[in-house]
Amino acid sequence: MRYISTRGQAEALDFEKVLLAGLAGDGGLYVPETLPKWDADFLRGLQGKSYEEIAHAVIAPFTAGCFTSDELRELISKTYANFRHTARAPLKQIGDDLWLCELHTGPTLAFKDFAMQLIGNFYTTVLARRNERLTIIGATSGDTGSAAIEAFKGLDNVDVFILFPKGRVSDVQQRQMTTSAAANVYAMAVEGDFDDCQALVKASFNDHEFRDEIRLGGVNSINWGRVMAQIIYYVSTAVSLGAPDRKISFSVPTGNFGDIYAGYLAKQMGLPIDRLVIATNQNDILHRTVQTGKHFKDGVKPSISPSMDIQISSNFERLLFDLYDRNSQEIVSLMKALETGGFELSGDALKALRNNFDSENCSEVETFAEIKRVFDETGELLCPHSAVGAHAARKAKDKVPMVALATAHAAKFPDAVKEATGMSPDLPPFLADIMTRDERLDIIANDFDVLKSYVRAKRS
Ligand SMILES: *Cc1c(COP(=O)(O)O)cnc(C)c1O
């Protein structure tokens, strides 16, 4: 399979190169040139299969040429063996035809592990084969950072630099990044918000001299490998609830638009998804876009669901590419307009957006209320992000079964959960001592030159 850039100026690449590149050379994002299609027999054949078997069937066409079928099977099996539930992404019923898909069973307790653990294993294999070293610089709103550190810690041929917005992640999230003992891991608190961190990573890619000097690789949610790995749990969920013979809807707590974009791809490939609900917190640029067609930035308001405190949803560019019939010139001018404020979607693009997505936003008060409500009705403790998804699911639900993705474990956000329910969620035993481990981090200015000298000084 070949991958092309949304901005039309970078060369088409195969999976291996796309995996290592992250961002395209023209500043765009890679997407498959064409998508495989699933028919009803294919989906029926997945019923009753393990998560690993479904993963193999879903992603083999995307990775063909990079991994043999057997190599891929082994990498998948090694990846998910690390997860705490044999179903990997178990379903839990929280109402009439209303379900949670629990995606916090990996080592850092957020859904990011599903993709990051897999691409960590992909990177290890590919870099060993090519005998290459790589530097990874990643931005995180909280959960990507620890997931990347966990996936790449201790590897000989990778240095990992993680930028997070100082004071804007939960204590548990910060400590998951700053208490790693691995020598190839650097956690950096940036004086700025998540969009600033993300802009620093983009600047690193766009400075071609620096990019080539340090052999920069990207594992942010714009990495195609991550999007691809997230398609799997939409499929495993839908077939276990009756696909292809029944339609399923999903509500997805959304920030950078990577997770829900994977659901959109699953639908394009033939999974019978009825509705995809973009669930936002008070940082609701995507909700406003669906409602009004206007996509304008509005400053980040810190919330109790910090992993979604984002204005620039990077993966939205991939969707725009489809909404504008894959016209890369349109994308270049829209992205330019976004730099200075935003843009209004064309009538056709807005129609196509609304054909594929619904949206709901969830205020802070509603998030607290949803955590309490689900606890009172079912005994489950939701993290604030998952509560945003559950709230939107309840509002958007009609006759079709609705699945809210539970994107993180409640114990990553104990203050909000305690305020909502009076209960303190317990961390799993392997993380129980995290608040007393030694921290290692550096605070850096929101300045690209500062970042460059830091990376140059530290990488081996
Ligand atoms: C990253 C994250 C999200 C948002 O996912 P996107 O792919 O960025 O839209 C939601 N919830 C949690 C817990 C996260 O870590």
Side-chain angles (χ1 to χ4, degrees):
M1 180 165 314
R2 281 165 26 108
Y3 296 85
I4 56 172
S5 165
T6 50
R7 305 212 187 161
Q9 298 299 311
E11 64 171 327
L13 299 180
D14 61 15
F15 179 79
E16 182 167 320
K17 295 218 174 85
V18 162
L19 176 72
L20 298 179
L23 196 68
D26 58 2
L29 306 185
Y30 280 110
V31 292
E33 196 164 39
T34 54
L35 284 175
K37 296 280 178 199
W38 303 320
D39 58 19
D41 286 344
F42 172 87
L43 294 171
R44 210 164 278 126
L46 299 179
Q47 289 173 345
K49 292 275 162 63
S50 69
Y51 191 85
E52 284 81 347
E53 288 168 310
I54 292 173
H56 189 275
V58 167
I59 67 181
F62 294 105
T63 59
C66 181
F67 302 117
T68 65
S69 179
D70 286 346
E71 266 175 333
L72 182 63
R73 188 166 291 111
E74 201 163 299
L75 288 166
I76 289 171
S77 134
K78 185 171 162 202
T79 297
Y80 297 108
N82 261 343
F83 284 54
R84 295 190 313 289
H85 196 297
T86 50
R88 312 311 178 206
L91 295 177
K92 203 168 263 170
Q93 190 164 8
I94 55 164
D96 281 346
D97 257 346
L98 185 60
W99 306 77
L100 286 177
C101 173
E102 296 192 318
L103 298 175
H104 43 70
T105 57
T108 72
L109 316 185
F111 84 91
K112 305 290 197 296
D113 289 326
F114 276 82
M116 199 69 88
Q117 287 284 312
L118 185 65
I119 72 167
N121 285 324
F122 283 2
Y123 264 68
T124 311
T125 307
V126 166
L127 290 176
R129 190 154 81 196
R130 296 163 69 104
N131 195 18
E132 279 178 15
R133 292 191 60 80
L134 211 66
T135 304
I136 286 170
I137 305 181
T140 183
S141 56
D143 294 321
T144 295
S146 54
I149 287 169
E150 196 57 36
F152 291 94
K153 67 177 184 196
L155 298 188
D156 292 335
N157 39 14
V158 182
D159 291 304
V160 190
F161 296 85
I162 296 297
L163 313 177
F164 67 89
K166 180 169 168 255
R168 302 223 184 165
V169 298
S170 81
D171 291 341
V172 174
Q173 284 180 311
Q174 170 159 335
R175 286 178 158 272
Q176 284 181 303
M177 295 186 272
T178 57
T179 59
S180 167
N184 66 332
V185 162
Y186 303 90
M188 302 149 80
V190 175
E191 314 257 19
D193 60 25
F194 171 70
D195 290 324
D196 296 324
C197 296
Q198 189 159 254
L200 287 170
V201 173
K202 283 206 168 165
S204 308
F205 277 101
N206 289 331
D207 181 334
H208 291 191
E209 202 183 309
F210 180 60
R211 181 193 69 184
D212 296 342
E213 171 197 331
I214 63 170
R215 297 227 13 99
L216 182 61
V219 298
N220 266 97
S221 72
I222 48 177
N223 185 297
W224 166 257
R226 289 192 48 197
V227 172
M228 177 194 75
Q230 290 164 181
I231 299 172
I232 302 163
Y233 44 75
Y234 287 92
V235 181
S236 68
T237 297
V239 296
S240 67
L241 290 177
D245 304 307
R246 188 156 75 143
K247 287 192 166 186
I248 315 292
S249 294
F250 288 90
S251 169
V252 185
T254 295
N256 227 347
F257 205 74
D259 202 4
I260 197 162
Y261 175 70
Y264 161 82
L265 292 176
K267 183 173 179 175
Q268 297 296 305
M269 285 186 270
L271 195 67
I273 295 180
D274 187 37
R275 301 163 78 200
L276 280 168
V277 184
I278 299 169
T280 71
N281 66 20
Q282 60 187 358
N283 295 289
D284 61 353
I285 179 170
L286 290 169
H287 173 63
R288 284 183 280 119
T289 305
V290 173
Q291 301 305 315
T292 67
K294 297 192 175 90
H295 189 74
F296 283 88
K297 294 184 283 186
D298 186 22
V300 174
K301 293 193 270 305
S303 79
I304 55 168
S305 42
S307 304
M308 307 195 299
D309 289 348
I310 289 177
Q311 286 294 312
I312 302 170
S313 297
S314 297
N315 281 291
F316 195 57
E317 177 170 344
R318 289 188 157 113
L319 180 70
L320 287 169
F321 189 54
D322 281 0
L323 299 182
Y324 282 85
D325 296 325
R326 303 204 142 198
N327 180 333
S328 46
Q329 270 163 346
E330 294 269 16
I331 301 308
V332 171
S333 60
L334 293 176
M335 290 303 124
K336 205 164 181 78
L338 186 59
E339 276 171 24
T340 54
F343 54 81
E344 183 159 1
L345 290 176
S346 71
D348 285 347
L350 180 58
K351 208 166 128 205
L353 174 66
R354 288 177 177 161
N355 275 342
N356 283 289
F357 294 93
D358 292 335
S359 73
E360 300 286 347
N361 62 354
C362 185
S363 70
E364 297 288 274
V365 171
E366 287 169 327
T367 310
F368 280 119
E370 185 69 23
I371 297 174
K372 175 155 173 43
R373 170 189 187 126
V374 172
F375 178 65
D376 289 346
E377 291 180 0
T378 71
E380 283 306 309
L381 288 175
L382 294 189
C383 92
H385 309 77
S386 309
V388 166
H391 171 86
R394 208 182 292 283
K395 268 176 96 171
K397 185 164 180 345
D398 50 22
K399 293 198 173 59
V400 174
M402 171 70 82
V403 180
L405 299 188
T407 48
H409 193 287
K412 286 190 101 163
F413 307 93
D415 298 345
V417 174
K418 176 132 202 230
E419 191 173 331
T421 62
M423 302 291 290
S424 291
D426 288 332
L427 282 163
F430 71 99
L431 285 173
D433 67 341
I434 192 149
M435 298 312 288
T436 57
R437 291 185 203 159
D438 285 338
E439 280 198 285
R440 192 164 58 91
L441 81 161
D442 287 304
I443 297 168
I444 72 155
N446 173 22
D447 182 316
F448 183 43
D449 288 325
V450 172
L451 172 66
K452 273 170 44 173
S453 16
Y454 183 95
V455 170
R456 284 187 171 125
K458 299 281 184 182
R459 66 187 272 275
S460 46

